[in-house]
Amino acid sequence: MKKGEETRLRMITVMAAAVEEKGVAATGVTEVLERSGAPRGSLYFHFPGGKDELVEASLRQSAGTLDDLMAGSLGGSPADVIARILEALADRQVASDFTKGCPIATVALETAGTDPLGGVCAEIYADWESSLADLLGDAALATEVFALIEGALLVGRVRRSREPIDAAVRAVRKLLARSPRSDPNTLEAS
């Protein structure tokens, strides 16, 4: 990887962590440049659209990380896949001392409906929900499961506890066991 590409990637990674922890408005470009070790001119060289373009790139990187997590969790029943995803997200939350949750949620809440970045968040959420629909074979059920996941991450972060995520795993198993598209024999293991 070339030096310029490394600088760009460091800036994206630092921005992703910062906006997940505290949002777009509370994250300054100077902070990102300092934490990434990037020279001042790097921002507009790599991101001609400025901070918003950098935030968008960081959101897309975060989405890719969760896409990889989902792909790496495949195998077994849908309930097992979702349980592994939730376990990984819970572990990530605990390891960060609850400064992390969903890497998109902080920005989504801050920008929903009023900002182009809100559209990026909506697009990412729609992609994740579509992936769940593919896994579950049911779009409506995917919406319910997605809402459980996002809610559990938010409440877990606020309470500084993994119990809401553990509760979501149990709820997903019950929900999928009642689904006519699910095989109840594969949903019991935990």
Side-chain angles (χ1 to χ4, degrees):
M1 184 180 292
K2 294 180 182 176
K3 185 178 179 180
E5 292 170 357
E6 289 174 3
T7 299
R8 183 179 191 282
L9 182 58
R10 275 195 322 274
M11 291 170 64
I12 292 169
T13 301
V14 167
M15 179 61 84
V19 297
E20 179 177 2
E21 291 173 16
K22 58 187 180 180
V24 176
T27 301
V29 171
T30 301
E31 170 192 358
V32 171
L33 292 172
E34 288 173 1
R35 287 177 54 190
S36 67
R40 186 94 176 124
S42 295
L43 176 67
Y44 292 104
F45 177 78
H46 293 291
F47 305 98
K51 180 180 176 180
D52 282 353
E53 186 177 341
L54 174 55
V55 172
E56 179 177 346
S58 75
L59 291 169
R60 294 195 187 282
Q61 176 185 298
S62 294
T65 300
L66 285 186
D67 291 343
D68 292 345
L69 171 65
M70 185 172 207
S73 298
L74 294 176
S77 72
D80 291 338
V81 171
I82 293 166
R84 283 192 293 273
I85 292 167
L86 281 164
E87 285 296 321
L89 291 169
D91 291 346
R92 179 179 182 273
Q93 213 170 39
V94 170
S96 75
D97 196 28
F98 297 93
T99 61
K100 297 187 182 303
C102 167
I104 307 304
T106 305
V107 177
L109 291 169
E110 186 177 5
T111 62
T114 61
D115 189 295
L117 291 173
V120 172
C121 295
E123 175 190 324
I124 291 167
Y125 279 159
D127 289 345
W128 288 345
E129 196 170 335
S130 177
S131 294
L132 284 171
D134 291 344
L135 173 69
L136 299 171
D138 184 326
L141 186 58
T143 298
E144 293 176 51
V145 169
F146 184 67
L148 276 168
I149 292 169
E150 284 297 305
L153 289 169
L154 175 62
V155 174
R157 188 172 177 189
V158 169
R159 288 186 184 167
R160 301 181 55 77
S161 168
R162 70 178 288 138
E163 175 50 34
I165 297 172
D166 295 338
V169 170
R170 293 187 300 273
V172 165
R173 288 193 183 282
K174 288 177 187 174
L175 182 64
L176 295 184
R178 289 192 302 262
S179 171
R181 299 188 72 107
S182 299
D183 176 1
N185 296 323
T186 63
L187 297 172
E188 296 303 318
S190 186

